[in-house]
């Protein structure tokens, strides 16, 4: 570098330089520079000069300025510029240093674009040909090498100049907002006068002329501390006139006829003005802090309220409500189509009026992945400022915020809008991650269940098959050597297991058919005894090691409206279940009772009962599968099938443990009638 | 008759499987003991110290793979533990071997294949 400085190249590379600051309107400069550079076909460079402000109170402002400047440099890069940043005590010094250095490196800075805020408001972005009177420009000209051209660009705000901080003296404020303060001011002057009169009456020696003024000044300070400048000055004037009228010789006279009195009035006015300005400046500072605090609180509330939301739809609703309220403006979210990711189709809220400019700005924001719309160089006519919603992995959509007339689009506000966009992206990313986690969890659970089902079904099918194949192969190969008794045992076992296999397959098929609604129920009126007799006959062999007691004496003269085969299947499955889970030799009682409007077929066993935490789970068709390779015969579908059948017939199965031990399965039948009723109905018919 | 006088403990909860194993192993003159549950099998193994344990993995009270190390601990090292299971997958077989099983046969099976496999543990090594 030093060598270059010492020995400049014999020819110069043309370069256009633009100096940007943290001013959000710097894009105007960038756009103008880009246009100019492209027109003359020269590369361009964006320069930022970082300066250090001496006062500590500017530290926070400096930080914001720096962030904003970095954004401007990023934008410059996006527009095709090279970028550079320098540190200098003053901006002018930094620019001059940079230009000098570039010249030494062999560059010819064809044009130097700088912002000029001194001129009269005019159309933004126009290269100013006027002779700028800005002290900044004048000083810069003095520092730059001779002949270096400067292109000052007018940067104006869309809004009128900001009110001078700390002053509240508009007539409107006085008429509307401070009317109450005006009344208070009159009261304060009157009160001070009355107090002096009162104290003068009580302590005539103490309250002489020199002690009266402080009382008026106290009243004045009180008024100035809560009112604007005009009221404070008016109060000062009124106070002094009251003092003159009541307590200055000649009394009851408002004339100020000498220099001393005029000086007193002026001092009163100065005092009022100083207090008003000082208090007002402080109040303004506090107001700004409060405003910022409220914004942060609003953002925090947005996040807090969205935490419980689990879907995009509900989160957007919550975020939209909170941000709309916090910023008092309109917010719109746009998302791409699943099938055409390059197009934005989904908008929340749906009922929002977007102009053509808004639409164009929104789409441009999505396509280019950078802010567009109001206050930006891309589609500035839009009433919305659009920002891409960027997550750690991708751009997921666009947020649009309507910039209203009451919004002050200063760096703090721009930073806030960025924070809003980042926050929304963060919230939506959280939801996406949570949804994916939930999907993965469900998928893992489904896979686990599928594996368990496969394992259980293979167990339930292969165990009886193993018994059948084993028994028959022994029977076949050892036929001659085996006594008749063992041959019979082998054959009986093979037959039993074949039945068991049939039962498993039937259950699986039944459940499949029931779930796919392929089963047609043929309902008919039938006495419960008939159903139970059929089942008893069929289950006699299977329950040969239990005492099956069907109490026909409890059977009333009733009929059920049910599909006979399916209802038999229900009772059979329940008896089969009782047989499997109770010790050999115990009883299984079946009774019929009426419980309110329902008829109940009650099946009670005398086994260990059902653990309380499993009472409802036993009807879950996968319950038994959750055991690690349970060996109790059955696919675990029997109870699930029974309950499904009863539900299909408008009934139910309710299970409970008996206080004296064992489980009770109550088959609830809702569609039943007494036989006499039937006859009566038939006769009536 | 390689299994002659060998003490065999069958731990399987399916009565019909125990029945045909009992009949077929009796023809080999083996001494057979039966258990329908894992815990009962473990108790019996401790007492009778069998030469061979035929263990089903799917037991009602304990998983066979959990029982396997307990049986290894309860029995002398020469005890052969042979696994019967409907689970026909290599990871399961490898796991059983890693836990100390000497053999593995998937259900359904022909009892004479089992007898042949068990006999191979006692066959004289080929010259």
């Amino acid at each position: 570098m030093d060598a270059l400085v010492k020995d400049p190249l014999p020819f110069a590379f043309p370069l256009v330089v633009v100096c940007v600051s943290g001013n959000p309107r710097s894009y105007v400069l960038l756009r103008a520079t880009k246009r100019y550079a492209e027109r003359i076909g020269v590369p361009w460079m964006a320069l930022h000069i970082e300066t250090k402000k001496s006062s500590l109170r500017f530290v926070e402002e400096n930080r914001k300025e720096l962030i904003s400047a970095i954004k401007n440099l990023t934008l410059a890069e996006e527009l095709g510029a090279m970028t550079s940043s320098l540190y200098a005590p003053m901006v002018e010094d930094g620019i001059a240093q940079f230009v000098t250095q570039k010249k030494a490196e062999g560059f010819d800075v064809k044009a130097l674009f700088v912002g000029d805020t001194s001129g009269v408001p005019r159309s933004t972005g126009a290269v100013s040909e006027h002779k700028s009177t800005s002290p900044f420009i004048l000083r810069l000209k003095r520092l730059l090498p001779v002949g270096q051209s400067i292109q000052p660009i007018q940067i104006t705000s869309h809004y009128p100049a900001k009110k001078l901080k700390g002053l509240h003296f508009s007539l409107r404020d006085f008429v509307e907002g401070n009317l109450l303060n005006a009344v208070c001011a009159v009261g304060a002057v009157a009160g001070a006068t009355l107090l002096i009169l009162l104290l003068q009456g009580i302590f005539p020696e103490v309250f002489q002329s020199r002690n009266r003024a402080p009382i008026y000044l106290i009243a004045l300070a009180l008024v100035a501390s809560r009112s604007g400048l005009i009221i404070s000055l008016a109060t000062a004037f009124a106070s002094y006139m009251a003092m003159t009228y009541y307590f200055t010789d000649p009394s009851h006279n408002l004339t100020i006829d000498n220099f001393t009195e005029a000086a007193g009035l002026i001092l009163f006015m100065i005092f009022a003005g100083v207090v008003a300005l000082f208090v007002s400046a402080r109040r303004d500072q506090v107001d700004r802090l409060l405003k910022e605090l409220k914004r942060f609180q609003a953002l925090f509330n947005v996040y807090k309220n969205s935490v419980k939301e689990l879907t995009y739809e509900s989160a957007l609703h919550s975020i939209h409500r909170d941000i709309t309220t916090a910023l008092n403006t309109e917010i719109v979210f746009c998302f791409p189509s699943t099938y055409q990711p390059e197009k934005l189709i989904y908008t929340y809220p749906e009922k929002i009026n977007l102009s053509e400019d808004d639409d164009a700005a929104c789409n441009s924001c999505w396509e280019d992945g950078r802010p567009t719309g109001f206050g930006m160089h891309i589609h500035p006519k839009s009433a919305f400022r659009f920002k891409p919603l960027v997550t750690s992995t991708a751009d997921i959509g666009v947020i649009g915020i309507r910039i209203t007339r009451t919004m002050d689009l200063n760096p703090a506000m721009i930073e806030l809008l960025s924070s809003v966009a980042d926050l929304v992206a963060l919230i939506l990313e959280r939801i996406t991650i949570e949804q994916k986690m939930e999907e993965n969890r469900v998928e893992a659970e489904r896979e686990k269940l599928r594996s368990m089902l496969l394992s259980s079904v293979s167990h339930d099918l292969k165990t009886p098959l193993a018994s059948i194949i084993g028994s028959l192969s022994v029977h076949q190969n050892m036929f001659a050597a085996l006594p008749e008794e063992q041959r019979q045992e082998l054959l009986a076992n093979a037959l039993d297991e074949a039945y068991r296999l049939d039962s498993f397959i039937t259950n699986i098929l039944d459940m499949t058919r029931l779930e796919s609604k392929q089963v047609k129920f043929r309902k008919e009126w039938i006495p419960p005894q008939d159903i139970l007799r059929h089942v008893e006959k069929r289950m006699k062999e299977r329950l040969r090691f239990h005492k099956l007691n069907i109490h026909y004496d409890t059977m009333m003269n009733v009929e059920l409206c049910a599909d006979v085969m399916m209802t038999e299947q229900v009772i059979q499955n329940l008896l089969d279940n009782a047989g499997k889970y109770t010790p050999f030799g115990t009883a299984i009682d079946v009774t019929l009772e009426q419980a309110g409007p329902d008829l109940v077929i009650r099946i009670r066993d005398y086994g260990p009962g059902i653990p309380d935490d499993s009472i409802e789970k036993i009807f879950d068709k996968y319950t038994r599968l959750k055991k690690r390779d349970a060996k109790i015969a059955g696919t675990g579908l029997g109870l699930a099938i029974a309950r499904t059948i009863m539900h299909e017939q408008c009934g139910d199965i309710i299970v409970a443990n008996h206080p004296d031990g064992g489980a009770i399965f109550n088959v609830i039948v809702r569609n039943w009638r007494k036989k006499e009723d039937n006859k009566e109905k038939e006769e009536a018919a | 008759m390689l299994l002659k006088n060998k003490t065999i403990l069958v731990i399987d909860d399916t009565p019909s499987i125990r029945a045909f194993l009992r009949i077929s192993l009796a023809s080999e003159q083996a001494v057979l003991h039966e258990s329908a549950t894992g815990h009962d099998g473990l108790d019996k193994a401790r007492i009778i110290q069998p030469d061979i344990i035929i263990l089903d993995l799917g037991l009602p009270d304990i998983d066979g793979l959990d029982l396997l190390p307990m049986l290894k601990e309860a029995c002398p090292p020469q005890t052969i533990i042979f696994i019967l299971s409907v689970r026909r997958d290599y990871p399961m077989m490898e796991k059983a071997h890693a836990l100390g099983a000497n053999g593995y046969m998937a259900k359904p099976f022909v009892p004479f294949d089992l007898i042949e496999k068990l006999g191979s543990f006692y066959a004289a090594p080929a010259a």
Side-chain angles (χ1 to χ4, degrees):
Chain A
M1 181 72 75
D2 289 344
L4 282 174
V5 174
K6 284 169 190 167
D7 304 311
L9 292 172
F11 56 90
F13 296 104
L15 184 70
V16 174
V17 176
V18 56
C19 186
V20 292
S21 64
N23 188 333
R25 308 282 298 174
S26 287
Y27 74 86
V28 175
L29 273 173
L30 294 172
R31 195 173 57 183
T33 312
K34 180 177 189 277
R35 236 181 359 239
Y36 179 81
E38 281 175 357
R39 197 174 69 232
I40 65 169
V42 167
W44 60 293
M45 179 175 256
L47 172 70
H48 171 246
I49 308 296
E50 191 182 340
T51 58
K52 187 182 175 185
K53 304 268 170 61
S54 55
S55 171
L56 278 176
R57 61 188 279 247
F58 290 117
V59 168
E60 178 61 13
E61 282 174 26
N62 260 352
R63 194 184 67 80
K64 288 178 181 173
E65 164 86 11
L66 194 60
I67 291 169
S68 194
I70 290 167
K71 284 179 185 168
N72 286 331
L73 286 178
T74 311
L75 177 63
E77 277 182 351
E78 287 172 1
L79 290 171
M82 296 173 282
T83 56
S84 183
S85 193
L86 274 184
Y87 177 79
M90 301 279 284
V91 175
E92 303 91 305
D93 297 331
I95 296 173
Q97 185 191 333
F98 179 81
V99 172
T100 309
Q101 190 177 323
K102 283 289 159 194
K103 273 194 180 296
E105 286 173 14
F107 289 96
D108 174 19
V109 180
K110 290 281 181 195
L112 174 64
F113 284 76
V114 290
D116 178 8
T117 53
S118 67
V120 287
R122 50 191 291 172
S123 64
T124 56
V127 177
S128 171
E129 298 297 336
H130 75 290
K131 300 283 181 191
S132 176
T133 54
S134 155
F136 165 74
I137 303 287
L138 294 175
R139 185 172 148 75
L140 184 60
K141 272 182 181 168
R142 280 201 301 273
L143 291 170
L144 284 171
V146 180
Q148 175 64 55
S149 79
I150 302 177
Q151 299 282 8
I153 304 276
Q154 288 281 310
I155 303 179
T156 56
S157 170
H158 277 287
Y159 300 115
K162 206 178 165 188
K163 283 190 292 184
L164 186 58
K165 282 178 190 172
L167 296 180
H168 295 269
F169 52 78
S170 79
L171 188 62
R172 197 173 163 189
D173 279 356
F174 179 73
V175 173
E176 291 173 5
N178 294 334
L179 199 58
L180 181 66
N181 290 342
V183 173
C184 290
V186 172
V189 174
T193 308
L194 286 173
L195 184 68
I196 293 167
L197 287 171
L198 184 70
L199 291 172
Q200 205 169 261
I202 300 168
F203 312 108
E205 302 82 21
V206 177
F207 272 86
Q208 296 304 315
S209 60
R210 71 184 63 173
N211 292 336
R212 291 169 197 142
I215 292 181
Y216 276 109
L217 287 176
I218 291 169
L220 182 55
L222 287 172
V223 170
S225 69
R226 50 170 294 138
S227 310
L229 186 65
I230 286 185
I231 287 179
S232 302
L233 292 176
T235 309
F237 183 77
S239 300
Y240 194 80
M241 294 317 285
M243 199 166 68
T244 306
Y245 187 78
Y246 288 108
F247 308 112
T248 310
D249 290 332
S251 61
H252 298 91
N253 185 354
L254 285 173
T255 315
I256 297 171
D257 52 6
N258 60 53
F259 178 73
T260 311
E261 285 177 352
L265 175 61
I266 290 165
L267 284 174
F268 253 65
M269 302 284 261
I270 290 172
F271 175 79
V274 168
V275 172
L277 284 174
F278 179 76
V279 172
S280 190
R282 284 287 160 206
R283 193 188 303 130
D284 196 54
Q285 207 173 8
V286 170
D287 282 350
R288 271 188 289 129
L289 284 173
L290 278 175
K291 219 174 188 179
E292 213 159 286
L293 188 69
K294 275 181 186 170
R295 279 177 188 161
F296 277 112
Q297 209 167 7
L299 280 183
F300 177 70
N301 283 340
V302 171
Y303 187 75
K304 194 177 74 181
N305 293 339
S306 71
V307 163
K308 57 180 181 290
E309 306 301 344
L310 298 173
T311 62
Y312 257 46
E313 198 54 43
S314 60
L316 287 179
H317 177 76
S318 164
I319 295 167
H320 182 266
R321 181 195 60 219
D322 291 342
I323 298 180
T324 307
T325 313
L327 297 182
N328 195 24
T329 187
E330 279 183 287
I331 308 283
V332 62
F333 302 100
C334 303
F335 297 98
S337 152
T338 313
Y339 304 104
Q340 289 176 289
E342 70 281 3
K343 277 192 173 181
L344 287 175
I345 56 147
Y346 175 66
T347 305
Y348 186 93
E350 288 170 21
K351 289 178 185 172
I352 191 159
N353 291 325
L354 293 181
S355 67
E356 276 182 23
D357 287 328
D358 298 337
D359 261 338
C362 183
N363 281 308
S364 180
C365 175
W366 175 244
E367 283 159 18
D368 300 342
R370 60 185 178 199
T372 58
F374 192 98
M376 299 303 292
H377 67 292
I378 305 167
H379 298 289
K381 285 182 183 172
S382 170
F384 282 79
R385 166 73 70 98
F386 291 98
K387 273 193 74 85
L389 297 172
V390 184
T391 67
S392 57
T393 50
D395 290 10
I396 56 168
V398 168
I399 180 173
I401 300 172
R402 187 186 285 278
I403 309 297
T404 62
R405 284 276 155 191
T406 53
M407 276 171 125
D408 189 2
L409 204 59
N410 54 25
M413 176 56 84
I414 290 169
E415 201 181 335
L416 180 77
L417 298 183
S418 292
S419 304
V420 167
D422 292 345
L423 183 67
V424 172
L426 185 75
I427 292 166
L428 296 181
E429 188 178 28
R430 175 188 63 77
I431 289 172
T432 309
I433 291 170
E434 279 180 5
Q435 282 176 343
K436 276 187 183 161
M437 280 170 69
E438 178 64 13
E439 279 168 19
N440 288 344
R441 195 190 61 74
V442 169
E443 184 55 37
E445 185 73 16
R446 193 180 293 140
E447 181 54 33
K448 196 175 159 193
L449 214 56
R450 196 190 66 80
S451 165
M452 283 195 294
L453 179 68
L454 197 67
S455 161
S456 179
V457 169
S458 70
H459 174 270
D460 288 345
L461 293 176
K462 284 197 169 182
T463 299
L465 266 178
S467 296
I468 293 165
I469 291 171
S471 300
L472 292 180
S473 66
V474 171
H475 185 271
Q476 187 186 34
N477 289 305
M478 298 174 65
F479 184 82
L482 290 177
E484 181 61 22
E485 191 188 333
Q486 282 187 339
R487 283 187 216 152
Q488 288 303 321
E489 186 187 354
L490 288 168
L491 287 177
N493 284 345
L495 193 62
D496 270 354
E497 294 298 334
Y499 281 132
R500 193 170 137 192
L501 191 57
D502 175 59
S503 165
F504 295 154
I505 295 168
T506 306
N507 270 350
I508 291 168
L509 294 178
D510 282 353
M511 198 67 220
T512 311
R513 284 167 64 227
L514 282 166
E515 282 185 335
S516 59
K517 305 279 178 195
Q518 285 179 8
V519 179
K520 294 269 182 281
F521 284 79
R522 291 182 185 173
K523 291 182 185 173
E524 57 184 290
W525 291 103
I526 185 163
Q529 295 90 320
D530 290 6
I531 293 172
L532 292 170
R533 274 197 194 96
H534 286 148
V535 177
E536 185 182 20
K537 201 172 167 187
R538 209 177 301 149
M539 295 296 290
K540 202 171 182 179
E541 179 58 23
R542 207 177 295 179
L543 294 175
R544 61 184 180 277
F545 300 115
H546 289 82
K547 294 171 197 159
L548 176 60
N549 306 318
I550 299 182
H551 298 270
Y552 290 105
D553 53 316
T554 62
M555 306 291 155
M556 294 157 279
N557 201 15
V558 292
E559 285 179 323
L560 319 177
C561 182
D563 182 303
V564 177
M565 274 177 62
M566 287 296 173
T567 312
E568 283 179 10
Q569 175 87 48
V570 170
I571 306 296
Q572 190 174 311
N573 286 4
L574 294 177
L575 289 176
D576 195 35
N577 180 71
K580 281 176 197 163
Y581 291 96
T582 56
F584 289 173
T586 57
I588 301 168
D589 291 329
V590 182
T591 54
L592 185 73
E593 291 169 29
Q594 189 180 341
D598 301 331
L599 205 64
V600 180
I601 301 171
R602 187 161 290 166
I603 297 167
R604 186 197 166 182
D605 65 47
Y606 293 84
I610 302 159
D612 289 339
D613 59 343
S614 304
I615 285 262
E616 269 311 304
K617 290 181 190 164
I618 59 166
F619 291 105
D620 178 354
K621 63 182 174 182
Y622 299 118
T623 295
R624 201 179 64 80
L625 306 182
K626 286 171 188 166
K627 293 183 185 174
R628 217 174 144 181
D629 194 16
K631 283 293 292 266
I632 291 173
T635 51
L637 292 174
L639 294 180
I641 289 171
R643 186 179 252 190
T644 308
I645 291 173
M646 287 316 294
H647 284 170
E648 290 291 331
Q649 301 190 105
C650 306
D652 202 355
I653 299 177
I654 296 169
V655 67
N657 284 319
H658 196 280
D660 297 333
I664 307 170
F665 286 81
N666 298 300
V667 181
I668 312 290
V669 180
R670 300 207 168 91
N671 208 351
W672 65 282
R673 67 185 183 188
K674 287 183 181 172
K675 265 189 174 175
E676 289 79 3
D677 294 349
N678 183 29
K679 277 178 188 170
E680 280 168 17
K681 278 178 193 169
E682 278 171 5
E683 280 166 14
Chain B
M1 292 288 179
L2 293 167
L3 301 178
K4 188 177 179 183
N5 295 331
K6 298 292 179 199
T7 314
I8 301 176
L9 173 63
V10 177
I11 308 174
D12 194 312
D13 68 327
T14 311
S16 53
I17 290 179
R18 292 202 306 272
F20 73 70
L21 285 176
R22 189 191 320 124
I23 293 167
S24 53
L25 289 169
S27 69
E28 296 292 311
Q29 296 183 13
V31 182
L32 203 78
H33 298 269
E34 295 174 31
S35 280
T37 64
H39 290 108
D40 181 56
L42 184 61
D43 291 343
K44 281 189 176 158
R46 283 197 181 109
I47 297 163
I48 61 178
Q49 299 285 295
D51 298 307
I52 299 169
I53 297 174
I54 297 173
L55 174 65
D56 179 26
L57 290 187
L59 295 166
D61 56 342
I62 183 171
D63 190 274
L65 287 179
D66 295 334
L67 184 65
L68 186 50
M70 299 183 206
L71 290 171
K72 288 297 283 185
E73 202 182 314
C75 300
Q78 68 272 19
T79 299
I80 290 162
I81 300 183
F82 202 91
I83 304 292
L84 292 180
S85 172
V86 294
R87 305 172 197 171
R88 186 196 291 270
D89 55 284
Y90 286 113
M92 186 60 70
M93 290 180 190
E94 282 161 11
K95 199 171 176 186
H97 281 297
L99 288 168
N102 302 88
Y104 192 105
M105 188 172 271
K107 290 179 181 177
F109 62 96
V110 177
F112 306 104
D113 288 345
L114 176 67
I115 290 168
E116 195 183 320
K117 285 246 181 185
L118 293 177
S120 69
F121 287 107
Y122 298 99

